[in-house]
Amino acid sequence: MNDPLLELREATVSYRTAQGLVPAVRGVDLRLEAGQTLGLAGESGCGKSTLAMAVLRLLPRNAELGGQVLLAGEDVRAMSWGRLRAVRWAQASVVFQGAMHALNPVQRVGEQIAEPIRLHSSRPDNKVSARVGELLEQVGLPARRASAYPHELSGGQRQRVMIAMALACEPGLVIADEPTTALDVMVQAQVLTLLSRLVDELDIGLLMISHDLSVLGSTCARLAVMYAGRIVELGPSEQVLRHPAHPYTKALAAAFPTIGDPASRLAPRGLPGDPPDPAQLPGGCPFHPRCPSALETCSDTDVRLRAVGDRSVACVLEVEA
C-alpha cells in the first residue's frame, strides 16, 4: 500500500523561552490521503498554525519538533536542509494567511509564480511563462495578469495568485492557513469553491486551517477540532457540525448566529475567557475551566482522543457514555 500524503504520529512542538519549554502542540495524530480534505479548527492560540508550519519545518529557531511528521512516508525531522528544500513546493506547499503580506510588493506576480518552477523543475525558460499562464487560468485569472504587481490586484485575486503559486510545482499536499480570513463573503465563497474544484481535478490532499467552522464544513470532508495543542474531536464534517460531541466543539458551533433568528443575534452564545496559556496549562482536561459540563474528575483526568462511534473524542463524558 502507498503511504499517505501526510501522517502525524504523536507530533509535538515546544518553544524554548526564558521560562523553559512551552508546549504549543501536544501529541497530535492525523492522517491525510490523496484526494482527501481535512479541516483544522479552533480558537486563536490553540496551535493550529504551529502544527501546519511543522509539516515543512517552517518553525522559528527556538522551536523543538518531536514525534513523527511523515510526508509520503518520509520523516520531515530526519530530512537534511537540501532534502527539505527539494520537498518544499514540489511535494507540499502552503497558502499563507494574508496574501498581501506573503507576496513581494515590488515584483510582478508572474515572476513570483515562476520562481519555484525554475527552482524545482527542468522546464526551459521559454515554457515557464506558458506554465504561469496556465496556472493563473486554472485559478480563474486571465494569463495577462501575470504582469501585474500585487497592489494592482484585489484581495481575492491576490489569494488566487497564492493558490497558483502553491500549485506551481504540482505538489501532492497543499496546506491552506486561514486562506479566506481577509476576504468578503462573496470572494470567500469563490475561493472555497476554487479549492474544492482543484482537489477534485488534481487529486491533491488539502489541509485547511480556520477558526470558522462553516468555512471548513463547506470545503472539507473531515474535521479536526483543536484545543490547547491537542485534537479534541475528529470525524466527518457533517457529523461534527450537526451533532458535536465534545463540549468545546459544541461551543464553537453555537457561537455562530443563526440567520433569521433574532434571539441568536441579540444574545450570541459563546465561551467565557480564552484558551489557556500554553506555559500554564491547567491540570486534567485543559478545557475544564471553561466547560459548562465539567465534572469534578475533569480537573485531574486528562482523556486522550478515543474512538466514539463514527468519530474520535477526547472527553470523559463521551468516553464513559
Side-chain angles (χ1 to χ4, degrees), residues 91-145:
Q91 191 169 326
S93 59
V94 183
V95 179
F96 293 102
Q97 180 180 358
M100 191 62 190
H101 303 292
L103 294 170
N104 188 334
V106 297
Q107 191 176 33
R108 300 181 192 275
V109 296
E111 282 301 309
Q112 298 186 58
I113 298 172
E115 183 176 359
I117 300 175
R118 293 192 176 103
L119 285 173
H120 293 280
S121 75
S122 57
R123 195 183 300 263
D125 285 343
N126 61 345
K127 293 187 178 181
V128 171
S129 296
R131 173 61 177 160
V132 170
E134 290 173 5
L135 287 164
L136 288 174
E137 290 177 354
Q138 196 171 42
V139 298
L141 289 175
R144 55 183 171 79
R145 299 304 279 164

Side-chain angles (χ1 to χ4, degrees), residues 51-204:
L51 182 62
M53 296 304 103
V55 172
L56 289 173
R57 271 172 49 190
L58 296 171
L59 295 167
R61 291 185 177 182
N62 67 327
E64 291 188 3
L65 177 60
Q68 288 185 301
V69 180
L70 305 175
L71 285 175
E74 187 176 2
D75 196 341
V76 170
R77 293 182 60 211
M79 291 181 183
S80 65
W81 283 111
R83 175 59 181 156
L84 193 60
R85 181 183 175 90
V87 164
R88 291 171 179 169
W89 294 107
Q91 191 169 326
S93 59
V94 183
V95 179
F96 293 102
Q97 180 180 358
M100 191 62 190
H101 303 292
L103 294 170
N104 188 334
V106 297
Q107 191 176 33
R108 300 181 192 275
V109 296
E111 282 301 309
Q112 298 186 58
I113 298 172
E115 183 176 359
I117 300 175
R118 293 192 176 103
L119 285 173
H120 293 280
S121 75
S122 57
R123 195 183 300 263
D125 285 343
N126 61 345
K127 293 187 178 181
V128 171
S129 296
R131 173 61 177 160
V132 170
E134 290 173 5
L135 287 164
L136 288 174
E137 290 177 354
Q138 196 171 42
V139 298
L141 289 175
R144 55 183 171 79
R145 299 304 279 164
S147 62
Y149 289 97
H151 71 272
E152 297 176 312
L153 302 175
S154 68
Q157 289 173 329
R158 287 194 293 266
Q159 200 64 56
R160 289 168 184 263
V161 169
M162 286 295 300
I163 296 171
M165 192 182 304
L167 298 173
C169 298
E170 302 178 5
L173 171 66
V174 173
I175 301 169
D177 186 7
E178 300 273 10
T180 61
T181 298
L183 306 178
D184 62 67
V185 290
M186 294 299 292
V187 177
Q188 174 178 283
Q190 294 170 6
V191 172
L192 294 178
T193 301
L194 169 63
L195 287 171
S196 299
R197 177 173 62 81
L198 292 173
V199 170
D200 292 335
E201 291 179 355
L202 304 178
D203 199 35
I204 61 176

